[in-house]
Amino acid sequence: MKCTAPGRNIKVFGKAILCLAKIGEDIYFEGEASGLAVRTVNQSRSAYGSFSFHTSFFSKFSLQSQNSVELRCKVSSRSCLSIFKNLASLEKSVENFSIELKFREGEFVFILLHKTGIKKQYNLTFQECEGLSAIFNKNSSVIHVVSNQKFLGECVVHFPSTVSEITLAVKHDHTTLSNYVEEQDQYAKALQTNMRLAGSEFPVYDVSVDREVTFCLKEWRAVLALQDALGQQLHLYF
């Protein structure tokens, strides 16, 4: 598998890698007929992230193999971070970037070609892996809520860094965000942070039934940071 993308696309690709690196310890790359899929899952398998980059995202895209085993691998998130650690600078200086999986040679190669003519090549070790996917059909969801850029991000800044999990309670006319406390006897002792958000504050607020969901704040912050960086709306289905 080999693909090349113009430098203007490195921001989106790099932000996706940074987001996934905050969720899982390994990042899975898989070449598909439609493009490149980049995924991860956290250690407890409670959070999963996936980005699909269509062939139109790249100036050149070639699978170079019909064997699906040779089109996927997993790479340490820390290794990937070393490439995109100074993303703001790369956005201005990179002419194009390439990704190549040399499965039989045991090499996973990132190449950054700078506008000055300097070429930086990163040869990363990888592991063979099975395909990574999550079974979820958003069409079967009973709740669909859409948040504008920065809205939920500005809400979670009020939660202390010591908070590991938050609960999102969705009602027919409002949503409540609160830090999660497992033990009832600890409830009175713990600092409680609650935020009530009116349904009218969301561009789309389609709630068929009241429902609560509790999840890790660390992964949630990573998603909200990506939303802010890309300036997109966030769709919630559950």
Side-chain angles (χ1 to χ4, degrees):
M1 177 187 68
K2 184 176 182 179
C3 48
T4 301
R8 65 178 180 272
N9 290 349
I10 197 169
K11 175 183 177 179
V12 174
F13 192 84
K15 290 291 185 181
I17 294 295
L18 295 177
C19 176
L20 295 178
K22 293 178 181 178
I23 297 175
E25 295 181 353
D26 296 301
I27 297 179
Y28 294 69
F29 295 85
E30 183 168 0
E32 302 172 336
S34 58
L36 176 65
V38 188
R39 305 180 174 107
T40 194
V41 64
N42 67 352
Q43 193 170 14
S44 63
R45 306 188 80 81
S46 62
Y48 165 85
S50 176
F51 294 91
S52 297
F53 297 93
H54 193 267
T55 53
S56 60
F57 181 84
F58 304 96
S59 54
K60 297 179 181 179
F61 184 86
S62 175
L63 292 179
Q64 298 181 326
S65 175
Q66 299 300 317
N67 186 346
S68 61
V69 175
E70 297 183 359
L71 297 175
R72 58 176 180 251
C73 68
K74 68 176 180 179
V75 181
S76 165
S77 296
R78 184 172 297 182
S79 297
C80 294
L81 284 176
S82 66
I83 302 173
F84 300 100
K85 60 183 178 182
N86 194 3
L87 189 56
S89 175
L90 294 179
E91 291 176 39
K92 301 176 182 178
S93 63
V94 171
E95 182 72 26
N96 62 61
F97 63 99
S98 301
I99 305 167
E100 184 173 6
L101 173 58
K102 299 180 179 180
F103 190 87
R104 297 179 183 179
E105 292 86 349
E107 294 181 355
F108 188 70
V109 183
F110 271 89
I111 297 177
L112 304 179
L113 180 61
H114 290 259
K115 296 176 181 178
T116 57
I118 297 175
K119 183 174 74 172
K120 293 182 180 178
Q121 180 168 319
Y122 300 84
N123 296 326
L124 309 180
T125 58
F126 69 86
Q127 292 180 317
E128 297 181 35
C129 64
E130 297 293 329
L132 182 67
S133 62
I135 300 175
F136 175 72
N137 181 11
K138 67 181 183 181
N139 295 325
S140 63
S141 302
V142 294
I143 293 174
H144 177 208
V145 176
V146 178
S147 167
N148 283 327
Q149 180 192 14
K150 296 186 177 182
F151 179 62
L152 288 176
E154 291 173 348
C155 293
V156 300
V157 298
H158 297 286
F159 291 86
S161 58
T162 53
V163 173
S164 59
E165 295 179 312
I166 62 171
T167 296
L168 181 70
V170 181
K171 309 292 184 182
H172 71 282
D173 62 344
H174 72 276
T175 291
T176 302
L177 281 170
S178 60
N179 56 312
Y180 176 73
V181 179
E182 186 174 4
E183 299 292 339
Q184 186 64 32
D185 59 348
Q186 293 178 350
Y187 189 85
K189 301 177 184 178
L191 174 65
Q192 292 292 298
T193 302
N194 291 277
M195 298 193 67
R196 181 182 171 116
L197 310 172
S200 58
E201 296 186 74
F202 298 89
V204 175
Y205 197 79
D206 184 7
V207 180
S208 301
V209 297
D210 296 348
R211 183 162 291 180
E212 291 186 4
V213 58
T214 299
F215 46 84
C216 292
L217 184 54
K218 174 188 174 184
E219 289 86 351
W220 182 239
R221 290 188 193 275
V223 173
L224 295 178
L226 178 66
Q227 179 201 13
D228 183 29
L230 299 183
Q232 300 295 315
Q233 290 184 327
L234 182 66
H235 292 250
L236 309 178
Y237 297 90
F238 54 98

